[in-house]
Amino acid sequence: MEATSTLQAVSATSVPAQRWTIQALLGLFELPFNDLMYRAQQVHREHHEANAVQRSTLLSIKTGGCSEDCGYCSQSAHHGEAAKEALLETEDVIAAARAAKDKGASRFCMGAAWRGPKDKDLDRVADMIAAVKSLGLETCVTLGMLKDGQAERLKQAGLDYYNHNLDTAPEFYGQVIKTHAQSERFDTLDKVREAGIKVCCGGIVGMGETRRQRASLLVELANMNPAPDSVPINELVPMPGTPLENAPPLDPFEFVRTIAVARIIMPESMVRLSAGRQEMSDELQALCFLAGANSIFYGDKLLTAGNPEADRDEALFARLGFSAI
Ligand code: SAM
Ligand code: DTB
Ligand code: SF4
């Protein structure tokens, strides 16, 4: 009954006038699977090409040794097993970006294991952004929390997107991360948006959160004004040595439902099927695309974890009749 009344109140094909509530999202989560897929497809087709998927390639430009204690992360100095490395040289980044472009990526995302960048590091990252952009790729970086003026510096360098995730529900955040508060993440997102950089913001599921907490994360994302341009939905990759290495796996259908709800409540956003794809069957990925995911990370590595080989993705796109954006 609850699901029906939610559907009457909220047309799946229109942008809601009201702010989303956890209750409304739970109504969507609880729909019979086919009804949820149908609604997600309706929204998807109204706002996006039905059979086109965008591809971003990731590169870790500064790996390991991070001061933060994020319970999922292999790069935390508190528990992570990823070896600490220095910031890459710009020429190595350019070579990786060129290879990504040759493989068919349209965006190149550079990630750094920092709480936030120092100004001297930012100058070097700015050079990388300018160089990658000059290859004709869209640029994205994820560098942690930004101080005043840093977002403007990145914008000047030609940055298109800044990735900064809320990661989980506000009420669960403190159980996963103790070295910073989620409110600090909102401050950085405001700086990014104000500097005129597109916002890429999502989270991780499968960390032992409840369905209500998954809904709560999605409510926070959808109620941003405006909603993020790009919404990565990561499935936890349980990394050895991290506090979450033994987190119980999420029911795959619950993951698909999470994608579908994200699509319905953020109609115009690109929804990225992000970490965790290597562990997914082609059939499960196809369900995620049906649920409204229209972007992936492309290339055999994420930051430290694996990702499907480009050839496997090419074959999957061919089998599904998808084109690359
Ligand atoms: N240090 C910066 C930060 O935290 O914003 C940028 C890099 S951090 C590794 C980028 C994102 O990767 C995190 O916000 C999180 O969503 C995702 N991530 C990290 N480890 C993960 C894992 N084991 N499984 C899934 N997603 C993960
Ligand atoms: C995002 O939301 N997922 C990417 C990207 N933004 C930076 C990172 C996934 C990391 C997966 C674990 C690893 O490679 O260490
Ligand atoms: Fe550091 Fe980012 Fe990993 Fe947290 S998620 S430990 S901030 S690299």
Side-chain angles (χ1 to χ4, degrees):
M1 278 311 289
E2 186 184 308
T4 312
S5 59
T6 302
L7 290 177
Q8 283 164 348
V10 179
S11 159
T13 55
S14 66
V15 179
Q18 83 276 28
R19 284 166 64 84
W20 289 99
T21 62
I22 294 176
Q23 214 46 42
L25 264 63
L26 286 174
L28 292 171
F29 266 99
E30 286 158 15
L31 283 173
F33 190 76
N34 286 353
D35 290 348
L36 180 58
M37 290 292 114
Y38 179 64
R39 296 209 157 249
Q41 268 291 304
Q42 280 182 308
V43 175
H44 190 69
R45 284 164 183 266
E46 194 174 314
H47 294 89
H48 302 273
E49 282 184 67
N51 299 295
V53 175
Q54 188 272 335
R55 303 191 291 201
S56 297
T57 293
L58 267 174
L59 177 68
S60 180
I61 57 169
K62 157 70 187 74
T63 305
C66 182
S67 64
E68 304 307 284
D69 70 349
C70 311
Y72 43 81
C73 188
S74 66
Q75 305 199 68
S76 164
H78 298 256
H79 51 250
E81 293 187 356
K84 184 176 175 181
E85 290 171 18
L87 184 60
L88 293 185
E89 296 298 330
T90 303
E91 63 202 49
D92 296 332
V93 174
I94 296 172
R98 199 171 272 130
K101 191 179 181 202
D102 290 347
K103 282 270 186 193
S106 60
R107 189 177 309 157
F108 193 69
C109 305
M110 295 164 268
W114 289 322
R115 175 186 166 90
K118 299 191 179 84
D119 283 334
K120 74 171 175 26
D121 295 325
L122 206 70
D123 287 339
R124 293 191 48 203
V125 175
D127 290 344
M128 294 174 193
I129 292 166
V132 171
K133 185 122 177 126
S134 73
L135 298 176
L137 284 160
E138 289 182 315
T139 53
C140 176
V141 295
T142 181
L143 312 173
M145 294 179 282
L146 297 178
K147 295 192 276 291
D148 284 346
Q150 293 189 321
E152 287 73 15
R153 175 84 188 88
L154 291 168
K155 175 72 181 171
Q156 275 167 14
L159 185 67
D160 296 303
Y161 291 82
Y162 195 87
N163 167 243
H164 199 62
N165 292 337
L166 293 186
D167 282 315
T168 193
E171 58 276 20
F172 192 57
Y173 200 84
Q175 288 181 52
V176 181
I177 298 152
K178 302 214 187 305
T179 47
H180 60 262
Q182 197 185 47
S183 56
E184 300 176 69
R185 312 279 291 177
F186 280 101
D187 292 345
T188 290
L189 291 164
D190 287 343
K191 290 187 171 93
V192 167
R193 203 177 292 108
E194 278 161 22
I197 299 166
K198 293 191 183 113
V199 171
C200 173
C201 183
I204 310 176
V205 296
M207 298 197 291
E209 75 285 345
T210 62
R211 172 180 273 183
R212 189 180 184 84
Q213 288 167 336
R214 282 187 282 284
S216 172
L217 165 67
L218 293 180
V219 161
E220 294 293 327
L221 293 168
N223 287 344
M224 284 181 188
N225 193 13
D229 300 276
S230 170
V231 181
I233 306 289
N234 296 278
E235 169 138 42
L236 176 73
V237 181
M239 301 303 282
T242 63
L244 287 169
E245 72 173 320
N246 295 315
L250 191 66
D251 172 7
F253 293 126
E254 182 69 9
F255 185 78
V256 178
R257 284 179 184 276
T258 306
I259 299 258
V261 175
R263 165 49 66 227
I264 292 166
I265 66 171
M266 292 176 275
E268 289 172 7
S269 306
M270 300 296 284
V271 175
R272 182 171 304 118
L273 170 55
S274 301
R277 269 197 323 115
Q278 195 174 37
E279 292 72 25
M280 293 178 195
S281 67
D282 286 356
E283 295 82 355
L284 176 56
Q285 292 185 58
L287 277 180
C288 293
F289 296 128
L290 195 64
N294 60 349
S295 171
I296 58 169
F297 286 122
Y298 179 63
D300 61 5
K301 206 163 171 205
L302 294 165
L303 294 172
T304 67
N307 197 47
E309 298 283 339
D311 289 352
R312 178 179 161 199
D313 284 338
E314 284 289 349
L316 181 59
F317 275 39
R319 289 168 77 200
L320 299 178
F322 286 176
S323 58
I325 296 175

